[in-house]
Amino acid sequence: MKAWLLLGTIIASTVTADLLQSHEMKRHGEIHDFGPSGLRRVLATLARKTNLILAVACMALSFFAFMALVQVADLSFAVPASAGSLVIETILARLVLKEHVDARRWIGAALVAGGVWLLAL
Amino acid sequence: MNPRLRWKTRAFAVIVILSNVLGNLFLTWGLRHGAEELTASPLSFLRAIFNPWVSLGICLLITWLMSRMFLLSWADLSYVLPVTALGYVITALLSRLFLGEQVTAARWAGTLLIMAGVILVGLGNPHSEGPR
């Protein structure tokens, strides 16, 4: 039961972090300058974005929950099961970010959902 | 793709896979051998981080994050996702070998299904356009 609660925390915080990150990075626009000064400028701009700060906090929560999970569950369960976030992210990418999700992506997400169900057996 | 970039891409793909798999392995090893049991207190997490195996695991996971970010700056996500999905199978193998975990047939099947799902997602167009 504790393992499933921790897995739920990992998936929820990963999904929130990825949605916030994706939303903010799309608002920022494509990064073209990967030189040291360009990257410094981009990082300085991004560090002031509330959504990205929240995304980093969610990633930290996800990492600490992962630490707690591998203490109570097998690593061979924890790593693939945390890929379950891909299923929820695909649904939310369509509903919240209004992305076009093609059939291949839906089938991929369904396979991941099936895999997580098999891990639960 | 010129030979130098091809070589660099393959080298980084190997670093991404190995740093993730070994980072998770060392982190788990440290948390199960020596580090105190984690509680709801943030202090227990802080103390656990100073376990040498856990620290090594965290350093490798930081390497994974950085190397993946660098790889994504020139390689397509549609290349990176399927290639790094190999990590699921390697994790299952190493968990069995070094952590003594019982990887059942259902768990192998689940792991392979998840890997197939991630590969399928990765093979799609990362900039899908179309009706919304």
Side-chain angles (χ1 to χ4, degrees):
Chain A
M1 185 63 194
K2 190 181 173 186
W4 287 103
L5 272 175
L6 288 167
L7 182 64
T9 309
I10 293 169
I11 291 178
S13 48
T14 304
V15 168
T16 311
D18 286 348
L19 282 181
L20 288 169
Q21 215 178 354
S22 178
H23 173 71
E24 197 57 58
M25 292 311 286
K26 272 181 187 143
R27 262 182 29 175
H28 178 274
E30 190 180 345
I31 299 169
H32 296 284
D33 187 0
F34 286 96
S37 62
L39 279 181
R40 244 197 323 271
R41 226 179 6 255
V42 169
L43 285 177
T45 311
L46 295 179
R48 287 194 295 270
K49 304 284 184 192
T50 315
N51 280 341
L52 283 182
I53 295 166
L54 281 173
V56 171
C58 287
M59 281 192 265
L61 176 66
S62 169
F63 176 71
F64 288 126
F66 183 79
M67 276 177 76
L69 177 61
V70 294
Q71 239 188 7
V72 296
D74 286 349
L75 181 66
S76 55
F77 163 81
V79 169
S82 51
S85 58
L86 196 131
V87 180
I88 300 169
E89 277 171 355
T90 306
I91 297 168
L92 293 182
R94 177 75 189 88
L95 296 178
V96 179
L97 299 176
K98 309 286 181 207
E99 289 181 1
H100 169 68
V101 181
D102 60 17
R104 196 199 304 247
R105 255 181 230 184
W106 283 121
I107 296 169
L111 285 178
V112 171
V116 174
W117 175 74
L118 277 173
L119 292 180
L121 293 178
Chain B
M1 190 188 277
N2 69 53
R4 193 183 151 272
L5 190 61
R6 189 179 302 139
W7 183 88
K8 192 168 94 168
T9 305
R10 285 178 185 163
F12 265 82
V14 171
I15 293 169
V16 170
I17 295 170
L18 289 185
S19 58
N20 180 254
V21 169
L22 294 177
N24 282 329
L25 183 73
F26 290 139
L27 182 84
T28 306
W29 179 271
L31 286 166
R32 291 183 191 164
H33 301 86
E36 66 173 274
E37 199 181 328
L38 298 172
T39 63
S41 160
L43 276 178
S44 75
F45 282 87
L46 273 181
R47 277 195 290 267
I49 285 170
F50 289 105
N51 172 287
W53 290 108
V54 174
S55 301
L56 180 60
I58 291 172
C59 287
L60 281 166
L61 289 173
I62 292 170
T63 307
W64 165 66
L65 268 178
M66 301 298 288
S67 54
R68 190 174 184 270
M69 208 166 75
F70 292 151
L71 181 60
L72 280 170
S73 73
W74 72 81
D76 289 344
L77 185 66
S78 52
Y79 168 83
V80 175
L81 269 184
V83 166
T84 52
L86 253 182
Y88 293 122
V89 174
I90 302 174
T91 297
L93 279 173
L94 294 186
S95 302
R96 188 177 154 76
L97 285 175
F98 295 103
L99 300 171
E101 293 181 2
Q102 290 295 318
V103 184
T104 60
R107 192 171 284 183
W108 275 117
T111 303
L112 291 174
L113 212 56
I114 289 168
M115 194 178 92
V118 173
I119 289 174
L120 205 61
V121 170
L123 289 176
N125 182 358
H127 303 292
S128 53
E129 301 290 342
R132 294 190 170 201

